[in-house]
Amino acid sequence: ILKGKDGMMYIATTEGLALIDEELRLAYLEDERIADDFLHELRMGKDGTIYAVDNAGDVIVLKDKEVLQIYPFSQSQIKGINCILPDPYDPELFYVETDEGKVYHDTLDSGFIKSEEIDISPLYQVQSFECLDQKIWICARNGIGVLDEDGFHTLDNIPMKNSIGHVM
């Protein structure tokens, strides 16, 4: 669930995108390209653009209750996107984790093919990215790490070494 800058609540569902307005009226986004999509993540960029990720690994770009673009990453060389975070400092860039378990920082238009990979080992299978205190926190199946000005490092002094879904 994500509150858009337009006041709408955007809800990722197993059958597309639901919307709730400020009067609590429920509607579905009427766009047959995503009507049956299993959406599992919604993120908002600095400019209010919303990015959804579906179970196939595609990225759907939304603004003002409309689909602006669909990036078919499920059919690309990277085999799909699992997680996405719009870069909070550069609206053109995104942090993504692919179906191959690789983390990249680049533009959506680049296709992440020539992007520099961010090594997050020993972590694998990113569950979510969050930007907190000017650091990118990476929650994964086997722990949590931080990407900051010094690079990537895992948090080893905490007892959580299994699936971390989110941090806030």
Side-chain angles (χ1 to χ4, degrees):
I1 299 174
L2 177 77
K3 184 173 184 178
K5 287 192 175 184
D6 58 4
M8 298 291 291
M9 296 298 291
Y10 290 78
I11 304 167
T13 77
T14 57
E15 292 185 11
L17 191 69
L19 305 165
I20 298 178
D21 67 17
E22 292 176 341
E23 285 78 40
L24 301 180
R25 291 180 295 218
L26 174 67
Y28 286 91
L29 184 66
E30 299 292 332
D31 189 312
E32 62 186 48
R33 296 174 293 173
I34 67 164
D36 296 324
D37 272 7
F38 186 131
L39 302 176
H40 67 85
E41 184 165 29
L42 295 173
R43 293 305 191 119
M44 186 166 35
K46 205 171 193 175
D47 66 352
T49 302
I50 296 172
Y51 302 89
V53 177
D54 69 13
N55 261 13
D58 298 330
V59 175
I60 298 101
V61 182
L62 306 141
K63 193 155 192 174
D64 298 324
K65 301 178 283 191
E66 288 187 32
V67 175
L68 299 180
Q69 187 166 1
I70 297 175
Y71 288 90
F73 287 114
S74 59
Q75 299 165 15
S76 75
Q77 289 180 344
I78 63 169
K79 307 292 186 252
I81 302 289
N82 285 329
C83 275
I84 191 168
L85 176 69
D87 188 310
Y89 307 107
D90 187 336
E92 298 294 316
L93 298 175
F94 296 82
Y95 292 92
V96 299
E97 193 247 1
T98 69
D99 276 353
E100 297 170 329
K102 296 180 179 179
V103 174
Y104 296 107
H105 184 230
D106 206 344
T107 65
L108 290 174
D109 290 331
S110 74
F112 302 99
I113 295 169
K114 295 181 180 177
S115 304
E116 182 178 340
E117 182 180 341
I118 299 171
D119 182 6
I120 63 163
S121 60
L123 298 185
Y124 65 90
Q125 205 172 26
V126 175
Q127 302 298 297
S128 70
F129 296 104
E130 295 297 338
C131 181
L132 302 167
D133 197 26
Q134 299 181 353
K135 298 175 178 122
I136 303 300
W137 292 77
I138 300 175
C139 301
R141 284 277 182 219
N142 62 329
I144 189 167
V146 177
L147 181 62
D148 59 22
E149 65 275 355
D150 297 324
F152 177 77
H153 53 275
T154 58
L155 300 183
D156 296 322
N157 58 347
I158 58 174
M160 297 181 290
K161 296 293 181 198
N162 52 357
S163 191
I164 310 284
H166 298 276
V167 63
M168 62 175 71

